[in-house]
Amino acid sequence: MAAPGKVAAFRLPPLPTIGEIIKLFRLKALKQLSQNFLLDLRLTDKIVKQAGELKNAHVCEVGPGPGGITRSILSAGVEQLLLIEKDARFIPGLQMLSEAAPGKVRIVHGDILTYKMEKAFPKHLKKSWDDEPPDIHIIGNLPFSVSTPLIIKWLENVSKRDGPFIYGRTQMTLTFQKEVGERLTANPGSSQRSRLSIMAQHLCTVENCFIIPGQAFVPKPEVDVAVVHFTPLVQPKIEQPFELVEKVVQSVFQFRRKYCFRGIETLFPENGRLKRTEQLMMTANVDPTLRPFQLSMSQFRNLCNAYRKMCDEDPSLFVFNYREELRQKKMTRSLLGSTGQPEQT
Ligand code: SAM
């Protein structure tokens, strides 16, 4: 019995090892689904520790698979654990874990890309945005093909304060391919500085916690894995709509080895392109000969604010699509033939 005034630590009853669960339920990793499992519970404990204090927290684990990380989350003494797993083969093994932790686990057989996270947790956990983060965490070791589109979607949710962020500044601890982890946290001047660095860092504090060598997984992936922790910022570093920031950032990085004005040009239609690019760079006070990876967050903020001003003055600007302009030009050229005259048929 726990000593008076102390809460007893939660301990799972003896269970088959993760390796035994894999054998018992014949859970062969599917290469086409990029399944790589973590069997070492010291490592899964280390990942879960990066999430912070989980005692009495509500946690959503994405892609629990055979349940290594799941066990570590339960051992951390959480109040409720929501598991979202796409592959039905894992559900019986997860049910075994659920029975070992009565009343704590909810299992959803579903896809995290479409699951409605705004309904995932009890309403009373909601905190206001400028308060401390709520007692809600998202943790997951997902396939790389899912974790990158998912973080872009969740960053958009952070910006709009919807999805898992209707509860406040929900924290996330997720794994990525090592190189993606480096991009997410890259500083100005780093060769890894990219669209992902700006999109993540203008909305969140992003911490590259540690690297898990590929050989720790079964089967071993081609690459090492980064564990990355995100806490949404009270005040985003760029206070403009997500779509606008994304458009500016994507345009800047379109020609990552060239001067930044080359990418910025693509925000404007051919007619008046140079003049408008110069106007934007001047208003934003950004040296047009800097390379995209050299730009600081405040320079990106200035570019977004200046572009917003131009879009407010000319609302047709925001819908302009450079690629579409190129496509139209190409079509016209092929219709006219190389002579610039309509082809005779
Ligand atoms: N978390 C386990 C571990 O660390 O051993 C499994 C990791 S494995 C790399 C990824 C897991 O995510 C698999 O169980 C896979 O079925 C699941 N998964 C893949 N795509 C998913 C999706 N869209 N929604 C939910 N789960 C998904």
Side-chain angles (χ1 to χ4, degrees):
M1 211 169 109
K6 281 198 181 164
V7 183
F10 180 81
R11 211 175 264 248
L12 284 166
L15 285 164
T17 64
I18 298 292
E20 285 162 352
I21 294 246
I22 290 173
K23 277 200 199 120
L24 186 64
F25 295 106
R26 298 168 196 254
L27 303 174
K28 193 171 179 302
L30 296 178
K31 213 169 175 188
Q32 67 272 30
L33 290 184
S34 313
Q35 288 176 338
N36 310 96
F37 306 136
L38 280 170
L39 311 192
D40 180 348
L41 293 185
R42 279 167 309 180
L43 208 45
T44 57
D45 281 349
K46 192 171 169 191
I47 295 173
V48 169
K49 225 171 149 190
Q50 303 305 318
E53 178 58 57
L54 291 186
K55 204 172 209 47
N56 303 324
H58 288 242
V59 177
C60 170
E61 189 195 354
V62 287
I69 296 177
T70 320
R71 289 182 188 208
S72 296
I73 297 172
L74 285 170
S75 301
V78 297
E79 174 74 21
Q80 281 286 316
L81 174 57
L82 168 65
L83 302 174
I84 301 175
E85 174 54 61
K86 191 175 177 184
D87 186 340
R89 296 175 309 142
F90 293 112
I91 304 297
L94 295 172
Q95 268 156 355
M96 186 186 267
L97 269 180
S98 168
E99 281 155 26
K104 285 196 182 285
V105 183
R106 191 154 49 104
I107 303 168
V108 172
H109 174 214
D111 188 331
I112 188 59
L113 291 167
T114 51
Y115 185 74
K116 298 247 175 291
M117 287 295 278
E118 53 274 32
K119 297 214 172 109
F121 306 102
K123 281 194 191 127
H124 74 265
L125 296 174
K126 276 190 187 179
K127 288 253 175 106
S128 75
W129 194 260
D130 39 17
D131 208 340
E132 287 298 300
D135 225 359
I136 297 177
H137 295 259
I138 299 174
I139 301 177
N141 170 29
L142 281 167
F144 305 135
S145 57
V146 179
S147 53
T148 305
L150 190 61
I151 194 60
I152 304 265
K153 176 178 143 83
W154 279 344
L155 288 170
E156 182 168 0
N157 289 147
V158 171
S159 163
K160 298 183 172 153
R161 301 183 188 181
D162 61 13
F165 308 97
I166 64 153
Y167 297 92
R169 296 184 296 121
T170 301
Q171 299 177 72
M172 303 175 276
T173 309
L174 303 167
T175 58
F176 295 89
Q177 189 175 334
K178 181 174 171 241
E179 213 178 273
V180 176
E182 285 166 1
R183 276 191 237 146
L184 282 162
T185 50
N187 289 321
S190 150
S191 62
Q192 295 291 357
R193 183 84 159 170
S194 64
R195 177 170 81 105
L196 217 43
S197 329
I198 312 301
M199 295 315 290
Q201 294 170 34
H202 96 270
L203 290 162
C204 296
T205 303
V206 193
E207 192 193 345
N208 202 337
C209 306
F210 67 98
I211 301 296
I212 311 177
Q215 61 262 29
F217 294 84
V218 179
K220 175 182 173 300
E222 302 281 302
V223 289
D224 292 341
V225 172
V227 177
V228 184
H229 185 263
F230 302 82
T231 311
L233 290 163
V234 172
Q235 192 140 19
K237 295 198 172 138
I238 305 176
E239 292 194 88
Q240 294 294 350
F242 185 85
E243 292 79 5
L244 185 140
V245 181
E246 199 178 35
K247 189 172 182 194
V248 172
V249 173
Q250 200 166 19
S251 302
V252 171
F253 279 104
Q254 201 164 157
F255 301 100
R256 51 174 302 121
R257 289 174 199 281
K258 305 235 161 105
Y259 291 150
C260 65
F261 83 80
R262 181 67 192 88
I264 291 168
E265 277 187 330
T266 66
L267 288 167
F268 304 109
E270 195 171 26
N271 186 8
R273 178 167 288 150
L274 187 61
K275 202 168 142 244
R276 282 173 140 170
T277 306
E278 281 171 359
Q279 184 192 339
L280 177 71
M281 310 246 34
M282 214 129 74
T283 317
N285 193 22
V286 172
D287 174 353
T289 63
L290 286 173
R291 314 271 169 184
F293 66 89
Q294 294 175 309
L295 297 183
S296 66
M297 189 58 83
S298 62
Q299 286 170 319
F300 272 104
R301 186 191 55 225
N302 292 352
L303 288 170
C304 291
N305 290 347
Y307 178 62
R308 169 68 188 266
K309 205 160 155 251
M310 292 171 87
C311 289
D312 286 346
E313 283 160 15
D314 175 359
S316 70
L317 208 52
F318 187 67
V319 289
F320 168 70
N321 182 321
Y322 179 71
R323 291 195 182 278
E324 183 57 26
E325 185 187 76
L326 281 185
R327 204 180 63 83
Q328 295 277 353
K329 269 172 80 176
K330 211 164 151 195
M331 247 169 57
T332 314
R333 232 181 286 135
S334 72
L335 278 174
L336 293 175
S338 55
T339 59
Q341 297 298 317
E343 280 182 354
Q344 302 293 317
T345 51

